[in-house]
PDB file of all heavy atoms in Angstrom:
ATOM      1  N   GLU T   8      -9.574   1.500  -9.161  1.00 97.00           N
ATOM      2  CA  GLU T   8      -9.886   0.263  -8.441  1.00 97.00           C
ATOM      3  C   GLU T   8      -9.230   0.259  -7.058  1.00 97.00           C
ATOM      4  O   GLU T   8      -9.821  -0.194  -6.083  1.00 97.00           O
ATOM      5  CB  GLU T   8      -9.422  -0.968  -9.227  1.00 97.00           C
ATOM      6  CG  GLU T   8     -10.149  -1.156 -10.552  1.00 97.00           C
ATOM      7  CD  GLU T   8      -9.386  -0.554 -11.736  1.00 97.00           C
ATOM      8  OE1 GLU T   8      -8.721   0.504 -11.580  1.00 97.00           O
ATOM      9  OE2 GLU T   8      -9.462  -1.143 -12.824  1.00 97.00           O
ATOM     10  N   LEU T   9      -8.003   0.772  -6.971  1.00 98.00           N
ATOM     11  CA  LEU T   9      -7.322   0.833  -5.674  1.00 98.00           C
ATOM     12  C   LEU T   9      -8.011   1.819  -4.748  1.00 98.00           C
ATOM     13  O   LEU T   9      -8.148   1.565  -3.543  1.00 98.00           O
ATOM     14  CB  LEU T   9      -5.851   1.208  -5.860  1.00 98.00           C
ATOM     15  CG  LEU T   9      -4.988   0.165  -6.573  1.00 98.00           C
ATOM     16  CD1 LEU T   9      -3.598   0.717  -6.857  1.00 98.00           C
ATOM     17  CD2 LEU T   9      -4.910  -1.117  -5.764  1.00 98.00           C
ATOM     18  N   LEU T  10      -8.464   2.941  -5.301  1.00 98.00           N
ATOM     19  CA  LEU T  10      -9.209   3.921  -4.495  1.00 98.00           C
ATOM     20  C   LEU T  10     -10.482   3.285  -3.943  1.00 98.00           C
ATOM     21  O   LEU T  10     -10.828   3.479  -2.774  1.00 98.00           O
ATOM     22  CB  LEU T  10      -9.547   5.157  -5.327  1.00 98.00           C
ATOM     23  CG  LEU T  10      -8.361   5.982  -5.820  1.00 98.00           C
ATOM     24  CD1 LEU T  10      -8.820   7.045  -6.813  1.00 98.00           C
ATOM     25  CD2 LEU T  10      -7.626   6.616  -4.660  1.00 98.00           C
ATOM     26  N   LYS T  11     -11.163   2.493  -4.771  1.00 98.00           N
ATOM     27  CA  LYS T  11     -12.390   1.818  -4.318  1.00 98.00           C
ATOM     28  C   LYS T  11     -12.078   0.795  -3.228  1.00 98.00           C
ATOM     29  O   LYS T  11     -12.790   0.720  -2.230  1.00 98.00           O
ATOM     30  CB  LYS T  11     -13.095   1.149  -5.496  1.00 98.00           C
ATOM     31  CG  LYS T  11     -14.393   0.453  -5.084  1.00 98.00           C
ATOM     32  CD  LYS T  11     -15.220   0.052  -6.256  1.00 98.00           C
ATOM     33  CE  LYS T  11     -16.478  -0.695  -5.916  1.00 98.00           C
ATOM     34  NZ  LYS T  11     -16.908  -0.796  -4.569  1.00 98.00           N
ATOM     35  N   TYR T  12     -11.011   0.024  -3.413  1.00 98.00           N
ATOM     36  CA  TYR T  12     -10.623  -0.940  -2.381  1.00 98.00           C
ATOM     37  C   TYR T  12     -10.360  -0.238  -1.049  1.00 98.00           C
ATOM     38  O   TYR T  12     -10.730  -0.740   0.008  1.00 98.00           O
ATOM     39  CB  TYR T  12      -9.375  -1.719  -2.787  1.00 98.00           C
ATOM     40  CG  TYR T  12      -9.577  -2.745  -3.889  1.00 98.00           C
ATOM     41  CD1 TYR T  12      -8.491  -3.178  -4.640  1.00 98.00           C
ATOM     42  CD2 TYR T  12     -10.818  -3.295  -4.184  1.00 98.00           C
ATOM     43  CE1 TYR T  12      -8.639  -4.125  -5.643  1.00 98.00           C
ATOM     44  CE2 TYR T  12     -10.978  -4.228  -5.185  1.00 98.00           C
ATOM     45  CZ  TYR T  12      -9.886  -4.648  -5.907  1.00 98.00           C
ATOM     46  OH  TYR T  12     -10.025  -5.586  -6.896  1.00 98.00           O
ATOM     47  N   ALA T  13      -9.722   0.919  -1.116  1.00 98.00           N
ATOM     48  CA  ALA T  13      -9.446   1.683   0.107  1.00 98.00           C
ATOM     49  C   ALA T  13     -10.750   2.184   0.721  1.00 98.00           C
ATOM     50  O   ALA T  13     -10.951   2.079   1.937  1.00 98.00           O
ATOM     51  CB  ALA T  13      -8.503   2.843  -0.188  1.00 98.00           C
ATOM     52  N   ASP T  14     -11.641   2.717  -0.106  1.00 98.00           N
ATOM     53  CA  ASP T  14     -12.940   3.195   0.387  1.00 98.00           C
ATOM     54  C   ASP T  14     -13.745   2.070   1.030  1.00 98.00           C
ATOM     55  O   ASP T  14     -14.453   2.287   2.011  1.00 98.00           O
ATOM     56  CB  ASP T  14     -13.765   3.814  -0.749  1.00 98.00           C
ATOM     57  CG  ASP T  14     -13.249   5.173  -1.183  1.00 98.00           C
ATOM     58  OD1 ASP T  14     -12.445   5.787  -0.439  1.00 98.00           O
ATOM     59  OD2 ASP T  14     -13.635   5.621  -2.286  1.00 98.00           O
ATOM     60  N   ASP T  15     -13.621   0.865   0.468  1.00 97.00           N
ATOM     61  CA  ASP T  15     -14.341  -0.304   0.987  1.00 97.00           C
ATOM     62  C   ASP T  15     -13.642  -0.936   2.193  1.00 97.00           C
ATOM     63  O   ASP T  15     -14.138  -1.911   2.750  1.00 97.00           O
ATOM     64  CB  ASP T  15     -14.494  -1.371  -0.101  1.00 97.00           C
ATOM     65  CG  ASP T  15     -15.406  -0.932  -1.238  1.00 97.00           C
ATOM     66  OD1 ASP T  15     -16.139   0.066  -1.083  1.00 97.00           O
ATOM     67  OD2 ASP T  15     -15.379  -1.589  -2.305  1.00 97.00           O
ATOM     68  N   GLY T  16     -12.458  -0.418   2.560  1.00 97.00           N
ATOM     69  CA  GLY T  16     -11.720  -0.961   3.697  1.00 97.00           C
ATOM     70  C   GLY T  16     -10.978  -2.252   3.398  1.00 97.00           C
ATOM     71  O   GLY T  16     -10.531  -2.942   4.311  1.00 97.00           O
ATOM     72  N   ARG T  17     -10.818  -2.589   2.126  1.00 98.00           N
ATOM     73  CA  ARG T  17     -10.126  -3.830   1.763  1.00 98.00           C
ATOM     74  C   ARG T  17      -8.612  -3.675   1.789  1.00 98.00           C
ATOM     75  O   ARG T  17      -7.892  -4.659   1.957  1.00 98.00           O
ATOM     76  CB  ARG T  17     -10.601  -4.306   0.390  1.00 98.00           C
ATOM     77  CG  ARG T  17     -12.098  -4.645   0.411  1.00 98.00           C
ATOM     78  CD  ARG T  17     -12.576  -5.185  -0.894  1.00 98.00           C
ATOM     79  NE  ARG T  17     -12.016  -6.527  -1.105  1.00 98.00           N
ATOM     80  CZ  ARG T  17     -12.038  -7.133  -2.276  1.00 98.00           C
ATOM     81  NH1 ARG T  17     -12.569  -6.555  -3.323  1.00 98.00           N
ATOM     82  NH2 ARG T  17     -11.523  -8.340  -2.401  1.00 98.00           N
ATOM     83  N   ILE T  18      -8.129  -2.442   1.589  1.00 98.00           N
ATOM     84  CA  ILE T  18      -6.696  -2.147   1.679  1.00 98.00           C
ATOM     85  C   ILE T  18      -6.536  -0.823   2.414  1.00 98.00           C
ATOM     86  O   ILE T  18      -7.489  -0.057   2.553  1.00 98.00           O
ATOM     87  CB  ILE T  18      -6.003  -2.038   0.294  1.00 98.00           C
ATOM     88  CG1 ILE T  18      -6.529  -0.826  -0.488  1.00 98.00           C
ATOM     89  CG2 ILE T  18      -6.148  -3.330  -0.499  1.00 98.00           C
ATOM     90  CD1 ILE T  18      -5.741  -0.507  -1.752  1.00 98.00           C
ATOM     91  N   THR T  19      -5.321  -0.573   2.864  1.00 97.00           N
ATOM     92  CA  THR T  19      -4.967   0.744   3.389  1.00 97.00           C
ATOM     93  C   THR T  19      -4.195   1.443   2.281  1.00 97.00           C
ATOM     94  O   THR T  19      -3.327   0.832   1.647  1.00 97.00           O
ATOM     95  CB  THR T  19      -4.070   0.607   4.640  1.00 97.00           C
ATOM     96  OG1 THR T  19      -4.762  -0.188   5.605  1.00 97.00           O
ATOM     97  CG2 THR T  19      -3.749   1.958   5.230  1.00 97.00           C
ATOM     98  N   LEU T  20      -4.514   2.710   2.039  1.00 97.00           N
ATOM     99  CA  LEU T  20      -3.889   3.449   0.945  1.00 97.00           C
ATOM    100  C   LEU T  20      -3.342   4.765   1.456  1.00 97.00           C
ATOM    101  O   LEU T  20      -4.058   5.540   2.087  1.00 97.00           O
ATOM    102  CB  LEU T  20      -4.921   3.701  -0.165  1.00 97.00           C
ATOM    103  CG  LEU T  20      -4.474   4.503  -1.380  1.00 97.00           C
ATOM    104  CD1 LEU T  20      -3.406   3.758  -2.170  1.00 97.00           C
ATOM    105  CD2 LEU T  20      -5.677   4.795  -2.270  1.00 97.00           C
ATOM    106  N   THR T  21      -2.059   5.005   1.207  1.00 96.00           N
ATOM    107  CA  THR T  21      -1.447   6.306   1.472  1.00 96.00           C
ATOM    108  C   THR T  21      -1.184   6.920   0.108  1.00 96.00           C
ATOM    109  O   THR T  21      -0.352   6.415  -0.660  1.00 96.00           O
ATOM    110  CB  THR T  21      -0.136   6.164   2.268  1.00 96.00           C
ATOM    111  OG1 THR T  21      -0.421   5.496   3.504  1.00 96.00           O
ATOM    112  CG2 THR T  21       0.473   7.523   2.560  1.00 96.00           C
ATOM    113  N   LEU T  22      -1.905   7.974  -0.198  1.00 95.00           N
ATOM    114  CA  LEU T  22      -1.906   8.575  -1.531  1.00 95.00           C
ATOM    115  C   LEU T  22      -1.151   9.889  -1.540  1.00 95.00           C
ATOM    116  O   LEU T  22      -1.196  10.648  -0.576  1.00 95.00           O
ATOM    117  CB  LEU T  22      -3.366   8.790  -1.959  1.00 95.00           C
ATOM    118  CG  LEU T  22      -3.656   9.159  -3.388  1.00 95.00           C
ATOM    119  CD1 LEU T  22      -3.122   8.123  -4.358  1.00 95.00           C
ATOM    120  CD2 LEU T  22      -5.164   9.301  -3.576  1.00 95.00           C
ATOM    121  N   GLY T  23      -0.452  10.146  -2.635  1.00 90.00           N
ATOM    122  CA  GLY T  23       0.194  11.440  -2.828  1.00 90.00           C
ATOM    123  C   GLY T  23       1.606  11.518  -2.294  1.00 90.00           C
ATOM    124  O   GLY T  23       2.167  12.605  -2.168  1.00 90.00           O
ATOM    125  N   THR T  24       2.207  10.377  -1.989  1.00 86.00           N
ATOM    126  CA  THR T  24       3.570  10.374  -1.457  1.00 86.00           C
ATOM    127  C   THR T  24       4.285   9.099  -1.877  1.00 86.00           C
ATOM    128  O   THR T  24       3.648   8.108  -2.232  1.00 86.00           O
ATOM    129  CB  THR T  24       3.579  10.487   0.079  1.00 86.00           C
ATOM    130  OG1 THR T  24       4.932  10.580   0.534  1.00 86.00           O
ATOM    131  CG2 THR T  24       2.904   9.303   0.736  1.00 86.00           C
ATOM    132  N   SER T  25       5.595   9.142  -1.833  1.00 83.00           N
ATOM    133  CA  SER T  25       6.380   7.926  -2.032  1.00 83.00           C
ATOM    134  C   SER T  25       7.140   7.585  -0.752  1.00 83.00           C
ATOM    135  O   SER T  25       8.007   6.727  -0.734  1.00 83.00           O
ATOM    136  CB  SER T  25       7.360   8.104  -3.199  1.00 83.00           C
ATOM    137  OG  SER T  25       8.242   9.170  -2.936  1.00 83.00           O
ATOM    138  N   GLU T  26       6.787   8.275   0.337  1.00 86.00           N
ATOM    139  CA  GLU T  26       7.416   8.025   1.640  1.00 86.00           C
ATOM    140  C   GLU T  26       6.810   6.775   2.263  1.00 86.00           C
ATOM    141  O   GLU T  26       5.597   6.591   2.265  1.00 86.00           O
ATOM    142  CB  GLU T  26       7.197   9.216   2.570  1.00 86.00           C
ATOM    143  CG  GLU T  26       7.899  10.485   2.117  1.00 86.00           C
ATOM    144  CD  GLU T  26       9.415  10.339   2.080  1.00 86.00           C
ATOM    145  OE1 GLU T  26       9.989   9.790   3.041  1.00 86.00           O
ATOM    146  OE2 GLU T  26      10.012  10.753   1.075  1.00 86.00           O
ATOM    147  N   TYR T  27       7.666   5.922   2.783  1.00 87.00           N
ATOM    148  CA  TYR T  27       7.199   4.675   3.376  1.00 87.00           C
ATOM    149  C   TYR T  27       8.190   4.247   4.451  1.00 87.00           C
ATOM    150  O   TYR T  27       9.302   4.743   4.519  1.00 87.00           O
ATOM    151  CB  TYR T  27       7.101   3.578   2.310  1.00 87.00           C
ATOM    152  CG  TYR T  27       8.454   3.216   1.735  1.00 87.00           C
ATOM    153  CD1 TYR T  27       9.154   2.116   2.204  1.00 87.00           C
ATOM    154  CD2 TYR T  27       9.039   4.002   0.747  1.00 87.00           C
ATOM    155  CE1 TYR T  27      10.403   1.805   1.704  1.00 87.00           C
ATOM    156  CE2 TYR T  27      10.289   3.691   0.234  1.00 87.00           C
ATOM    157  CZ  TYR T  27      10.959   2.588   0.711  1.00 87.00           C
ATOM    158  OH  TYR T  27      12.197   2.278   0.222  1.00 87.00           O
ATOM    159  N   GLY T  28       7.766   3.332   5.281  1.00 81.00           N
ATOM    160  CA  GLY T  28       8.646   2.779   6.307  1.00 81.00           C
ATOM    161  C   GLY T  28       8.767   1.281   6.106  1.00 81.00           C
ATOM    162  O   GLY T  28       7.879   0.660   5.538  1.00 81.00           O
ATOM    163  N   THR T  29       9.860   0.710   6.535  1.00 79.00           N
ATOM    164  CA  THR T  29       9.991  -0.747   6.501  1.00 79.00           C
ATOM    165  C   THR T  29       9.954  -1.232   7.938  1.00 79.00           C
ATOM    166  O   THR T  29      10.852  -0.989   8.714  1.00 79.00           O
ATOM    167  CB  THR T  29      11.291  -1.204   5.805  1.00 79.00           C
ATOM    168  OG1 THR T  29      12.379  -0.477   6.337  1.00 79.00           O
ATOM    169  CG2 THR T  29      11.208  -1.003   4.311  1.00 79.00           C
ATOM    170  N   ASP T  30       8.880  -1.869   8.252  1.00 75.00           N
ATOM    171  CA  ASP T  30       8.575  -2.356   9.584  1.00 75.00           C
ATOM    172  C   ASP T  30       8.888  -3.851   9.611  1.00 75.00           C
ATOM    173  O   ASP T  30       8.495  -4.579   8.712  1.00 75.00           O
ATOM    174  CB  ASP T  30       7.081  -2.084   9.809  1.00 75.00           C
ATOM    175  CG  ASP T  30       6.542  -2.621  11.088  1.00 75.00           C
ATOM    176  OD1 ASP T  30       7.125  -3.538  11.673  1.00 75.00           O
ATOM    177  OD2 ASP T  30       5.496  -2.119  11.507  1.00 75.00           O
ATOM    178  N   ARG T  31       9.563  -4.304  10.617  1.00 75.00           N
ATOM    179  CA  ARG T  31       9.912  -5.732  10.690  1.00 75.00           C
ATOM    180  C   ARG T  31       8.669  -6.625  10.736  1.00 75.00           C
ATOM    181  O   ARG T  31       8.769  -7.818  10.515  1.00 75.00           O
ATOM    182  CB  ARG T  31      10.804  -6.004  11.895  1.00 75.00           C
ATOM    183  CG  ARG T  31      12.203  -5.528  11.669  1.00 75.00           C
ATOM    184  CD  ARG T  31      13.159  -6.227  12.619  1.00 75.00           C
ATOM    185  NE  ARG T  31      14.518  -5.807  12.356  1.00 75.00           N
ATOM    186  CZ  ARG T  31      15.321  -6.401  11.492  1.00 75.00           C
ATOM    187  NH1 ARG T  31      14.908  -7.422  10.809  1.00 75.00           N
ATOM    188  NH2 ARG T  31      16.551  -5.966  11.309  1.00 75.00           N
ATOM    189  N   LYS T  32       7.516  -6.066  10.983  1.00 92.00           N
ATOM    190  CA  LYS T  32       6.298  -6.866  11.002  1.00 92.00           C
ATOM    191  C   LYS T  32       5.774  -7.134   9.592  1.00 92.00           C
ATOM    192  O   LYS T  32       4.830  -7.875   9.418  1.00 92.00           O
ATOM    193  CB  LYS T  32       5.219  -6.169  11.837  1.00 92.00           C
ATOM    194  CG  LYS T  32       5.585  -6.109  13.307  1.00 92.00           C
ATOM    195  CD  LYS T  32       4.532  -5.383  14.088  1.00 92.00           C
ATOM    196  CE  LYS T  32       5.000  -5.237  15.534  1.00 92.00           C
ATOM    197  NZ  LYS T  32       4.283  -4.223  16.245  1.00 92.00           N
ATOM    198  N   LEU T  33       6.400  -6.532   8.582  1.00 96.00           N
ATOM    199  CA  LEU T  33       5.997  -6.777   7.202  1.00 96.00           C
ATOM    200  C   LEU T  33       6.453  -8.161   6.762  1.00 96.00           C
ATOM    201  O   LEU T  33       7.579  -8.565   7.015  1.00 96.00           O
ATOM    202  CB  LEU T  33       6.613  -5.733   6.262  1.00 96.00           C
ATOM    203  CG  LEU T  33       6.066  -4.319   6.347  1.00 96.00           C
ATOM    204  CD1 LEU T  33       6.948  -3.359   5.552  1.00 96.00           C
ATOM    205  CD2 LEU T  33       4.635  -4.273   5.835  1.00 96.00           C
ATOM    206  N   ALA T  34       5.563  -8.867   6.073  1.00 96.00           N
ATOM    207  CA  ALA T  34       5.927 -10.173   5.526  1.00 96.00           C
ATOM    208  C   ALA T  34       6.658 -10.003   4.194  1.00 96.00           C
ATOM    209  O   ALA T  34       7.619 -10.723   3.921  1.00 96.00           O
ATOM    210  CB  ALA T  34       4.680 -11.028   5.336  1.00 96.00           C
ATOM    211  N   PHE T  35       6.206  -9.042   3.382  1.00 97.00           N
ATOM    212  CA  PHE T  35       6.774  -8.820   2.055  1.00 97.00           C
ATOM    213  C   PHE T  35       6.678  -7.350   1.678  1.00 97.00           C
ATOM    214  O   PHE T  35       5.767  -6.647   2.127  1.00 97.00           O
ATOM    215  CB  PHE T  35       6.019  -9.629   0.990  1.00 97.00           C
ATOM    216  CG  PHE T  35       6.061 -11.102   1.200  1.00 97.00           C
ATOM    217  CD1 PHE T  35       4.974 -11.780   1.723  1.00 97.00           C
ATOM    218  CD2 PHE T  35       7.190 -11.834   0.858  1.00 97.00           C
ATOM    219  CE1 PHE T  35       5.007 -13.146   1.920  1.00 97.00           C
ATOM    220  CE2 PHE T  35       7.231 -13.203   1.053  1.00 97.00           C
ATOM    221  CZ  PHE T  35       6.143 -13.866   1.585  1.00 97.00           C
ATOM    222  N   VAL T  36       7.601  -6.926   0.814  1.00 97.00           N
ATOM    223  CA  VAL T  36       7.560  -5.590   0.208  1.00 97.00           C
ATOM    224  C   VAL T  36       7.599  -5.770  -1.300  1.00 97.00           C
ATOM    225  O   VAL T  36       8.426  -6.527  -1.824  1.00 97.00           O
ATOM    226  CB  VAL T  36       8.752  -4.720   0.677  1.00 97.00           C
ATOM    227  CG1 VAL T  36       8.807  -3.415  -0.106  1.00 97.00           C
ATOM    228  CG2 VAL T  36       8.649  -4.431   2.175  1.00 97.00           C
ATOM    229  N   LEU T  37       6.698  -5.065  -1.993  1.00 98.00           N
ATOM    230  CA  LEU T  37       6.637  -5.131  -3.450  1.00 98.00           C
ATOM    231  C   LEU T  37       6.859  -3.736  -4.017  1.00 98.00           C
ATOM    232  O   LEU T  37       6.130  -2.799  -3.671  1.00 98.00           O
ATOM    233  CB  LEU T  37       5.271  -5.631  -3.910  1.00 98.00           C
ATOM    234  CG  LEU T  37       4.971  -7.106  -3.731  1.00 98.00           C
ATOM    235  CD1 LEU T  37       4.852  -7.484  -2.277  1.00 98.00           C
ATOM    236  CD2 LEU T  37       3.716  -7.464  -4.467  1.00 98.00           C
ATOM    237  N   ALA T  38       7.864  -3.589  -4.865  1.00 97.00           N
ATOM    238  CA  ALA T  38       8.171  -2.318  -5.515  1.00 97.00           C
ATOM    239  C   ALA T  38       7.598  -2.372  -6.925  1.00 97.00           C
ATOM    240  O   ALA T  38       8.138  -3.053  -7.791  1.00 97.00           O
ATOM    241  CB  ALA T  38       9.672  -2.092  -5.542  1.00 97.00           C
ATOM    242  N   CYS T  39       6.495  -1.650  -7.137  1.00 97.00           N
ATOM    243  CA  CYS T  39       5.757  -1.718  -8.406  1.00 97.00           C
ATOM    244  C   CYS T  39       5.606  -0.349  -9.066  1.00 97.00           C
ATOM    245  O   CYS T  39       4.606  -0.094  -9.736  1.00 97.00           O
ATOM    246  CB  CYS T  39       4.372  -2.313  -8.168  1.00 97.00           C
ATOM    247  SG  CYS T  39       4.359  -3.942  -7.431  1.00 97.00           S
ATOM    248  N   THR T  40       6.557   0.534  -8.870  1.00 97.00           N
ATOM    249  CA  THR T  40       6.451   1.854  -9.493  1.00 97.00           C
ATOM    250  C   THR T  40       7.027   1.802 -10.906  1.00 97.00           C
ATOM    251  O   THR T  40       7.612   0.795 -11.316  1.00 97.00           O
ATOM    252  CB  THR T  40       7.209   2.934  -8.682  1.00 97.00           C
ATOM    253  OG1 THR T  40       8.617   2.778  -8.883  1.00 97.00           O
ATOM    254  CG2 THR T  40       6.873   2.855  -7.196  1.00 97.00           C
ATOM    255  N   ASP T  41       6.905   2.907 -11.632  1.00 95.00           N
ATOM    256  CA  ASP T  41       7.498   2.976 -12.968  1.00 95.00           C
ATOM    257  C   ASP T  41       8.912   3.567 -12.933  1.00 95.00           C
ATOM    258  O   ASP T  41       9.470   3.924 -13.955  1.00 95.00           O
ATOM    259  CB  ASP T  41       6.602   3.768 -13.922  1.00 95.00           C
ATOM    260  CG  ASP T  41       6.315   5.177 -13.447  1.00 95.00           C
ATOM    261  OD1 ASP T  41       6.877   5.599 -12.407  1.00 95.00           O
ATOM    262  OD2 ASP T  41       5.528   5.872 -14.109  1.00 95.00           O
TER     263      ASP T  41
END
């Protein structure tokens, strides 16, 4: 479902990594890994 949302342009998806940045322009960060 997330892949489809990305294909449809509803979300941005960075796949295959756990690397991320914290940008002050972010409103919220959600940590949802296992």
Side-chain angles (χ1 to χ4, degrees):
E8 295 95 325
L9 293 173
L10 296 171
K11 181 168 177 10
Y12 288 158
D14 287 345
D15 293 346
R17 297 183 70 194
I18 66 170
T19 303
L20 178 65
T21 301
L22 191 58
T24 184
S25 60
E26 294 297 315
Y27 65 98
T29 49
D30 175 338
R31 285 200 177 271
K32 293 178 185 162
L33 289 169
F35 299 103
V36 172
L37 286 68
C39 302
T40 75
D41 58 4

